[in-house]
């Protein structure tokens, strides 16, 4: 496998740089994990100093005709696709951004997006970032109480939802600061034959209010476009606020900056053997989740990859058809997904040989499952560890030397140490179990408008340096620098903050 530095803005050729060899040799003294890096992965990267949406601008400029999005939906025994190129996607982002500006969305305003993985999510998110807004990730299947809390806690004034959620949102609207609700209809970006294949496929058209408070996604997108007003967005500006907990009630939002997400995408694309403008990614991990946002959406756009979006991602049979039909090359997921792929493939033969890489996170990946999946596809299945407070990614398996009982080694520019669980003031030795501490450019800006809790979770570590994220997870580092997670902390509110979760 040939490795390259894949982020379009990244400088290649680190392996030939003499300073790269010196930096790696020096780091091995206190960072043994550097010895496990694949040969062309540097210990430190040069990160683009730009806002997140510029990855899309670059892809649209360099690869305008490459397919950016495939929206796939089943019709009888086959998958039909609606496609948008990077040029088309970027144009729609500009139009939607201008439409939001016409509706008084300004820099720093929070726009909540409660959509499944669909073209509308991608368009809306990049449009919000382009005008300096903040995306608030919302699970479209969340309870109404949690939706109300997220809207109130984040101060969101604009909400983008599927049509089916409108009655519920209207019932809680008086408890929020919402000025406007944008309705996305499932049929808008589906292949046209699916739209007309029976009433059950396409919901009835809703009637938007004559007032500007409730309007359709298409109406914003197709608004008579005034000139898009350029907004200066800086890397430290907040890009997203995420609420990853199953029960979001009274939980604080996690603020990630443009720099956090740009660094996470850059790390991922340098680490994984993915080629620019050549990969096809099946996007089953939800974009409102940090792993889906980083490892799937933003990293894929930064790499000018094609994203395959499923009409019903829970249908494993249709997902396998999509892998076969669209020649998916990269599959991020969780162990349950890979187990379902293995079991379903025993019942029916699918050609999954296009997959050369898969990435698992959120739960333990067994050696047996890894071997089954790799035997089935001929590709490599790597493990990853991360949490929302660290942009979704902290450690990944090296491609050439994964270790089945570990969750990988720390990414470039990412420090990990183990501290005592009582006070967190003592660094533990190799093999000793304690609290996992993380420090790096992907560590969050903080909990949204919660400076006290933030200071308790991101603080000075045993080495006297500031900026250490106390994750609450228990684990240890072995003598080769591999990270092992042994347990999740059972007392999540010990320091007055929620237990970090992916």
């Amino acid at each position: 496998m040939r490795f390259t530095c894949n982020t379009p803005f990244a400088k290649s050729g680190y392996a030939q740089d003499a300073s790269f060899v010196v930096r790696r040799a020096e780091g091995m003294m206190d960072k043994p994990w550097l010895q496990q890096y694949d040969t062309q992965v540097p210990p430190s990267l040069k990160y683009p100093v730009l806002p997140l949406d510029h990855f899309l601008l670059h892809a649209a400029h360099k690869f305008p005709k490459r397919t950016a999005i495939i929206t796939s939906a089943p019709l009888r025994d086959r998958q039909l696709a609606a496609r948008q190129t990077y040029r088309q996607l970027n144009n729609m982002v500009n139009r939607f951004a201008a439409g939001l500006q016409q509706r008084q969305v300004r820099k720093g305003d929070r726009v909540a997006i409660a959509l499944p993985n669909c073209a509308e999510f991608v368009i809306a998110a990049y449009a919000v970032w382009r005008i300096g807004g903040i995306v608030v990730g919302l699970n479209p299947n969340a309870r109404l109480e949690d939706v109300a809390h997220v809207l109130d806690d984040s101060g969101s004034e604009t909400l983008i939802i599927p049509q089916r959620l409108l009655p519920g949102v209207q019932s809680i609207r008086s408890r929020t600061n919402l000025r406007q609700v944008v309705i996305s209809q499932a049929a808008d970006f589906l292949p046209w034959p699916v739209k007309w294949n029976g009433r059950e496929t396409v919901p009835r058209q809703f009637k938007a209010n004559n007032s500007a408070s409730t309007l359709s996604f298409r109406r914003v997108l197709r608004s008579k476009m005034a000139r898009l007003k350029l907004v200066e967005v800086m890397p430290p500006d907040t890009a997203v606020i995420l609420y990853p907990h199953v029960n979001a009630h009274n939980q604080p939002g996690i603020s990630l900056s443009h720099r956090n997400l740009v660094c996470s995408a850059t790390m991922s694309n340098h680490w994984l053997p993915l080629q620019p403008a050549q990969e096809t990614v099946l996007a089953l991990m939800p974009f409102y989740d940090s792993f889906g946002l980083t490892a799937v959406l933003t990293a894929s756009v930064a790499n000018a990859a094609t994203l395959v979006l499923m009409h019903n991602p829970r249908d494993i049979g249709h997902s396998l058809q999509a892998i076969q039909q669209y020649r998916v090359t990269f599959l991020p997921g969780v162990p349950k997904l890979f187990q379902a792929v293995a079991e379903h493939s025993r019942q029916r033969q699918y050609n999954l040989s296009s997959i050369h890489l898969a990435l698992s996170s959120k739960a333990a990946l067994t050696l047996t499952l890894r071997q089954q999946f790799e035997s089935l596809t001929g590709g490599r299945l790597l493990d990853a560890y991360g949490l929302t407070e660290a942009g979704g990614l902290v450690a990944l398996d090296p491609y050439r030397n994964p270790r089945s009982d570990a969750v990988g080694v720390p990414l470039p520019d990412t420090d990990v140490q183990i501290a005592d669980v009582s006070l967190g003031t003592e660094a533990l030795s190799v093999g000793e179990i304690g609290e996992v501490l993380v420090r790096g450019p992907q560590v969050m800006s903080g909990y949204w408008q919660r400076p006290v809790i933030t200071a308790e979770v991101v603080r000075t570590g045993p080495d006297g340096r500031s900026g250490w994220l106390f994750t609450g997870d228990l684990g240890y580092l072995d003598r080769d620098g591999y990270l092992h997670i042994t347990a999740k902390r059972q007392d999540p509110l010990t320091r007055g903050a929620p237990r970090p979760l992916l």
Side-chain angles (χ1 to χ4, degrees):
M1 176 68 67
R2 180 172 60 87
F3 281 71
T4 61
C5 293
N6 295 318
T7 302
F9 296 93
K11 177 183 177 182
S12 60
Y14 285 99
Q16 288 74 35
D17 187 348
S19 63
F20 161 70
V21 179
V22 173
R23 292 197 306 272
R24 172 171 280 190
E26 291 175 347
M28 287 179 183
M29 299 299 293
D30 58 346
K31 300 179 181 180
W33 54 79
L34 296 182
Q35 301 178 63
Q36 313 306 325
Y37 278 21
D38 295 302
T39 55
Q40 289 183 287
V41 177
S44 183
L45 304 175
K46 294 182 179 180
Y47 299 98
V49 183
L50 45 76
L52 197 57
D53 76 292
H54 279 222
F55 282 136
L56 174 58
L57 285 172
H58 182 276
H61 173 73
K62 192 170 183 180
F63 309 104
K65 296 182 180 180
R66 175 161 175 80
T67 299
I69 295 174
I70 296 175
T71 302
S72 182
L75 180 62
R76 300 183 181 88
D77 59 347
R78 59 192 177 120
Q79 296 282 325
L80 298 181
R83 303 170 187 261
Q84 288 84 38
T85 66
Y86 269 99
R87 175 185 289 159
Q88 291 170 331
L89 174 60
N90 190 61
N91 288 339
M92 286 189 287
V93 166
N94 281 336
R95 287 158 46 199
F96 199 81
L100 291 176
Q101 285 183 333
Q102 287 178 331
R103 288 158 180 82
Q104 309 307 312
V105 178
R106 301 289 183 256
K107 180 177 180 180
D109 288 354
R110 276 76 68 198
V111 177
I113 304 178
L115 295 174
N117 288 8
C118 57
E120 293 96 319
F121 190 111
V122 181
I123 294 166
Y126 279 88
V128 172
W129 292 328
R130 186 151 295 174
I131 62 176
I134 299 171
V135 171
V136 178
L138 247 173
N139 184 341
N141 298 313
R143 301 181 307 170
L144 286 177
E145 293 81 359
D146 295 331
V147 172
H149 164 70
V150 169
L151 295 175
D152 179 61
D153 183 74
S154 65
S156 298
E157 295 184 342
T158 302
L159 172 64
I160 305 174
I161 58 172
Q163 181 182 341
R164 64 179 175 81
L165 296 186
L166 183 57
V169 168
Q170 297 289 37
S171 71
I172 62 170
R173 194 162 179 170
S174 61
R175 298 157 54 185
T176 71
N177 297 315
L178 286 177
R179 289 191 298 107
Q180 54 198 357
V181 177
V182 179
I183 308 300
S184 166
Q185 294 183 260
D188 281 348
F189 287 86
L190 288 179
W192 73 263
V194 178
K195 296 180 183 181
W196 308 110
N197 185 45
R199 294 181 179 179
E200 73 282 358
T201 305
V202 183
R204 187 190 309 174
Q205 296 281 327
F206 83 101
K207 293 184 179 179
N209 293 350
N210 291 329
S211 68
S213 63
T214 305
L215 60 158
S216 72
F217 191 96
R218 283 288 189 183
R219 180 178 169 187
V220 179
L221 187 64
R222 291 176 174 173
S223 297
K224 184 177 180 181
M225 181 177 160
R227 183 175 180 181
L228 178 63
K229 299 174 184 177
L230 298 181
V231 178
E232 184 179 21
V233 183
M234 303 300 292
D237 292 341
T238 300
V240 297
I241 304 172
L242 301 179
Y243 295 80
H245 304 271
V246 175
N247 183 353
H249 188 59
N250 292 329
Q251 298 295 333
I254 296 168
S255 301
L256 296 173
S257 67
H258 285 265
R259 173 173 167 76
N260 291 148
L261 295 177
V262 165
C263 289
S264 291
T266 303
M267 289 175 182
S268 176
N269 283 336
H270 275 82
W271 189 273
L272 300 174
L274 301 173
Q275 302 303 313
Q278 295 184 32
E279 307 296 340
T280 301
V281 183
L282 184 58
L284 299 180
M285 299 302 298
F287 295 155
Y288 55 79
D289 168 86
S290 62
F291 182 61
L293 183 69
T294 297
V296 185
L297 177 57
T298 59
S300 294
V301 171
N303 212 29
T306 297
L307 283 165
V308 178
L309 309 177
M310 298 296 299
H311 180 59
N312 179 14
R314 294 181 179 273
D315 191 319
I316 189 64
H318 291 157
S319 295
L320 290 172
Q321 287 178 4
I323 292 173
Q324 178 176 276
Q325 182 169 328
Y326 305 120
R327 304 295 295 165
V328 169
T329 61
F330 179 41
L331 180 61
V334 295
K336 284 185 178 180
L337 168 64
F338 300 116
Q339 185 67 51
V341 169
E343 292 176 354
H344 205 86
S345 296
R346 296 192 193 104
Q347 304 170 15
R348 178 179 173 182
Q349 292 294 323
Y350 292 94
N351 181 1
L352 308 181
S353 61
S354 62
I355 298 176
H356 66 80
L357 184 65
L359 185 65
S360 177
S361 189
K362 290 179 172 283
L365 179 66
T366 66
L367 177 60
T368 299
L369 179 55
R370 190 195 300 257
Q371 291 173 338
Q372 287 178 344
F373 184 85
E374 292 184 348
S375 175
L376 179 67
T377 64
R380 182 65 63 93
L381 175 57
L382 303 180
D383 204 359
Y385 164 74
L387 59 158
T388 304
E389 287 88 337
L393 291 173
V394 170
L396 269 76
D397 275 333
Y399 184 86
R400 291 192 174 92
N401 192 25
R403 187 164 291 183
S404 61
D405 58 343
V407 293
V409 298
L411 289 163
D413 301 303
T414 303
D415 292 337
V416 171
Q417 65 175 331
I418 309 300
D420 67 286
V421 296
S422 55
L423 298 175
T425 58
E426 179 185 353
L428 302 185
S429 302
V430 168
E432 290 189 279
I433 296 176
E435 183 171 2
V436 178
L437 276 55
V438 176
R439 190 174 187 271
Q442 73 272 51
V443 170
M444 67 175 180
S445 307
Y447 293 106
W448 177 250
Q449 297 183 335
R450 301 291 210 290
V452 174
I453 295 179
T454 299
E456 293 171 346
V457 175
V458 182
R459 55 191 171 94
T460 302
D463 60 357
R465 293 187 296 167
S466 61
W468 284 98
L469 170 64
F470 285 66
T471 68
D473 294 335
L474 302 182
Y476 66 93
L477 288 166
D478 63 30
R479 64 181 62 254
D480 294 323
Y482 285 84
L483 177 62
H484 303 251
I485 301 298
T486 58
K488 298 287 186 180
R489 172 166 288 188
Q490 298 302 309
D491 50 342
L493 301 179
T494 299
R495 291 190 300 272
R499 173 167 63 92
L501 293 172
L502 247 179

